[in-house]
């Protein structure tokens, strides 16, 4: 499932995807928002829509790999840290999870 935020000019300004579930757990990945619009609510809207899609298909838990710089963003949406930091594509990340119930 892909979510894309489109501005009034028809340009994509943000995106994210919800991967197929493993059991009752979905995973969000590839969240991105145009740098000029970070902090504007675009990312939050995409994240919430992907969580809603997970709920609709029966996911009970959502996980994601958050860049350390975005950890507080996800924590504000109810995600909790799980495990130790790691490098992904040379960028520090952490695994986070949230129950959807």
């Amino acid at each position: 499932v892909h979510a894309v935020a489109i501005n009034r000019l028809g340009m994509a300004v943000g995106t994210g995807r919800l991967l197929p579930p493993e059991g009752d757990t979905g995973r969000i990945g590839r969240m991105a928002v145009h740098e000029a619009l970070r902090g504007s609510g675009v990312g939050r809207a995409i994240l919430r829509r992907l969580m809603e899609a997970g709920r609709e298909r029966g996911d009970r838990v959502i996980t994601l790999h958050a860049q350390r710089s975005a950890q507080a963003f996800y924590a504000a949406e109810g995600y909790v840290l799980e495990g130790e930091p790691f490098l992904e594509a040379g960028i520090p990340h952490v695994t986070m999870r949230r129950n959807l119930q």
Side-chain angles (χ1 to χ4, degrees), residues 2-46:
H2 290 85
V4 179
I6 306 292
N7 70 10
R8 287 181 266 173
L9 300 174
M11 299 170 61
V13 295
T15 186
R17 70 179 179 183
L18 178 65
L19 297 168
E22 292 185 16
D24 66 353
T25 302
R27 181 170 164 222
I28 291 175
R30 303 295 187 214
M31 287 279 299
V33 173
H34 189 285
E35 188 175 12
L37 295 175
R38 291 180 190 155
S40 70
V42 170
R44 184 165 282 110
I46 291 169

Side-chain angles (χ1 to χ4, degrees), residues 12-95:
V13 295
T15 186
R17 70 179 179 183
L18 178 65
L19 297 168
E22 292 185 16
D24 66 353
T25 302
R27 181 170 164 222
I28 291 175
R30 303 295 187 214
M31 287 279 299
V33 173
H34 189 285
E35 188 175 12
L37 295 175
R38 291 180 190 155
S40 70
V42 170
R44 184 165 282 110
I46 291 169
L47 181 64
R48 289 179 178 176
R49 180 60 192 108
L50 292 171
M51 289 190 307
E52 182 181 328
R55 234 182 251 109
E56 289 170 356
R57 74 177 185 192
D59 294 352
R60 298 168 60 93
V61 175
I62 295 286
T63 64
L64 53 83
H65 291 171
Q67 290 185 15
R68 293 294 302 265
S69 61
Q71 186 175 341
F73 166 78
Y74 293 108
E77 289 298 310
Y79 286 81
V80 295
L81 186 62
E82 180 177 83
E84 296 296 319
F86 59 93
L87 287 179
E88 187 172 291
I91 301 167
H93 282 72
V94 291
T95 299

